[in-house]
Structures are given as C-alpha cells and as structure tokens.
Amino acid sequence: MNGWQSWAVAMGVLVCVSLLVWIAHGLVRESLSRYRAVFTETARVRMGEFFFFVDVNQLWFAHVAIIGVLAAACGILAQSWTMAAAGAVAGAALPRYVARRLRARRMRRFDEQLPDALLALASALRAGASLQAGLRQIVAESQPPLGQELALMLREQRFGIGMDQSLAHLHDRVPTESTSLVVAALRIAADTGGNLAETLERIGATIRARLHMEGRIRALTAQGRLQSRIVGALPWLLIVALHYLEPETMQRLWTTAQGWAVLALVASLDLLGLWMISRIVRIDV
C-alpha cells in the first residue's frame, strides 16, 4: 500500500470515528436534556404537593452530584466499571424512592390528624357555625399537612372554584380511603343536606378505629419486616466482606461475564424474596 493510500485510509477512519462521536454526542445530549426536563417537571410537581418550594435547577444539580458520587464510590470500592454503573443507576432511582416514601408518610400523617379535625368540625357545626367557618377554624389550629391541604381547599373556593371541584382536588392530592369518606360526606351534605355533624362524628370514629387496627397490624408484623431487611442485606454484606477477605478470588465476580451473571441472579432472587416476605406480612384492613 502506497503512502497516499495509507493516508487516505487513515483519514477515512478518522472521519468515520469523528462522525460516530458526533452522532453519539448528539444522542447523549438530547437524552440528557429530555431526562432533565422530565426530572425538573416531576420535582416541581412533587415539591408542590409537599408545599416545599425550591429551585428545581438546584435539585437537578444535586441529583447529578449524587449520581456521580455513588458511581465513583461503587467503582472505587469494587474496582469495577459494572459496579460504578450500578451506583449510577441507584443514584438515579434514589430521588423517586425518597419522594414516594415522603408522600406515603405525608398521607399517613394526614389520616392520623383527620379524626380529631372531624370531631372539631362536628362540634363547630353543632354550635351553629357554618361549614366554611368550621374549616377556617380547623386550618388555624391544625398542623401540616392537614392544615395546608384544607387551607388550599379554602383558597381555591375564594378564587371561585366550586365546592365539588375543590373537594375533588383535595382527593387528588391525598388519595386515601379516609379522604374519600370525608369528601363523599361533604358532597352529599352540600347536595341533599342532612345531619352533617353526626355523619362527620361517625366517619371520625371509623377512621380512628381503622388507624388503631393498622397500628396493631404494624406492631405484629414488625418482626417480619425487620427480618426481610436483614435477609435482603445479608447477601450483599457477605459479598463485601468476602471482597476484602479474598480480593483475588472475588475479582472474577466483578470483571467476568460469569460473575455479572451471578450478581444478576443474586439480585433477582433477593428482590423476589423481599417481595414474597412483603406479601406475607402485608395485611389490608
């Protein structure tokens, strides 16, 4: 092959590689932009549900920093690009998990505050106060999240939104069975009338009994839930311990296709076991 032919081949390879890099850069940039848009919009909605207003761009940079830190930590500790990728995936899934846990805790706290609020509203109605006045009194005396949700409902009504629509928005924000009972009772009372105070007292007693039963169930199943966490963490703790005790032997687990297959199998069986235990200890009331 002549010199000019070698030069032409080298230039062709360079052009092809440059083209592939340019295409890959465009795809990665577009995917990252799309992911950022989805993340910021979801974060804005979730933070609005929690009445926690922060700059979503700051949350995005924090999210990227968490992904980088977890990826670097897993990669350095395990000396494997595979574990670095696993750390990045875990960092990407962490905000969604935290938001789901915070949302569940907020709804549980709302249900716990609801019986006392219903009894106070029923007492205000029996004393001759209107429904709006009773709700304003509860808002002034209640702690978040109940006070925040009811205050938002009253604010919507002051802006011209009807009672049915504001109650529907309340149920959308707090989609629990307790909220469904209260919303149904208020809608029926607004449409047909009736003894709303007595209805609210009965709903409050029902919700209180339900919460008491759920507390007893959580206490009875606490040991099973703790065992599931221990059983789920035990394989990974054992892998980490063996990695430091026998690094040469465990190195094949991180650097070979067979090792990755074993890790995938362990993760699948671990998740399956956690799911089965959660189904066993879960009792719907």
Side-chain angles (χ1 to χ4, degrees):
M1 183 179 294
N2 297 329
W4 68 270
Q5 292 177 340
S6 301
W7 183 83
V9 170
M11 288 299 297
V13 171
L14 180 61
V15 170
C16 292
V17 171
S18 301
L19 182 61
L20 290 176
V21 170
W22 180 75
I23 295 175
H25 177 267
L27 293 176
V28 170
R29 183 175 181 180
E30 183 181 357
S31 300
L32 186 61
S33 300
R34 189 181 300 111
Y35 178 65
R36 179 175 182 176
V38 172
F39 177 85
T40 52
E41 180 63 21
T42 304
R44 184 187 63 80
V45 174
R46 294 302 184 190
M47 293 300 102
E49 291 178 352
F50 300 147
F51 292 83
F52 184 65
F53 302 101
V54 296
D55 187 3
V56 293
N57 292 320
Q58 295 179 358
L59 292 178
W60 165 252
F61 290 122
H63 178 54
V64 173
I66 290 174
I67 292 176
V69 169
L70 288 179
C74 293
I76 292 173
L77 292 177
Q79 296 295 319
S80 171
W81 288 104
T82 304
M83 294 306 298
V89 172
L94 183 61
R96 183 176 300 179
Y97 172 78
V98 172
R100 185 168 61 249
R101 295 285 295 181
L102 291 176
R103 178 178 171 83
R105 181 181 300 178
R106 180 180 178 84
M107 290 191 293
R108 184 168 61 250
R109 177 59 178 165
F110 183 89
D111 287 347
E112 292 174 354
Q113 293 176 307
L114 200 53
D116 293 336
L118 293 179
L119 292 179
L121 182 58
S123 299
L125 295 176
R126 291 185 184 278
S130 64
L131 179 61
Q132 298 293 330
L135 290 174
R136 285 194 296 269
Q137 181 180 358
I138 293 175
V139 168
E141 298 176 356
S142 298
Q143 298 293 326
L146 179 67
Q148 293 174 336
E149 297 293 347
L150 295 182
L152 180 57
M153 186 182 72
L154 292 177
R155 191 176 301 115
E156 288 178 346
Q157 294 179 16
R158 287 198 297 269
F159 288 155
I161 299 178
M163 184 69 174
D164 288 345
Q165 192 71 17
S166 62
L167 289 174
H169 292 167
L170 174 63
H171 185 263
D172 292 338
R173 294 192 302 271
V174 191
T176 63
E177 295 184 5
S178 302
T179 308
S180 300
L181 292 174
V182 176
V183 168
L186 294 177
R187 282 179 172 176
I188 293 173
D191 293 338
T192 63
N195 192 348
L196 180 59
E198 183 178 355
T199 303
L200 293 178
E201 287 179 350
R202 291 181 179 178
I203 293 176
T206 301
I207 296 175
R208 192 183 301 276
R210 179 185 178 88
L211 292 175
H212 178 71
M213 181 61 66
E214 289 179 351
R216 292 189 60 185
I217 291 175
R218 283 197 300 269
L220 293 174
T221 58
Q223 183 177 359
R225 288 184 280 110
L226 178 61
Q227 289 175 350
S228 69
R229 295 187 180 97
I230 295 175
V231 170
L234 188 59
W236 308 106
L237 294 176
L238 182 61
I239 289 175
V240 172
L242 291 176
H243 175 74
Y244 285 101
L245 293 176
E246 296 290 341
E248 295 181 358
T249 304
M250 294 296 292
Q251 191 66 26
R252 298 180 59 187
L253 192 64
W254 317 112
T255 58
T256 62
Q258 293 84 355
W260 299 341
V262 170
L263 288 175
L265 179 61
V266 171
S268 301
L269 294 177
D270 194 20
L271 292 175
L272 179 61
L274 290 175
W275 178 79
M276 293 179 65
I277 295 175
S278 67
R279 296 296 298 177
I280 291 173
V281 301
R282 181 183 302 169
I283 302 176
D284 297 327
V285 295

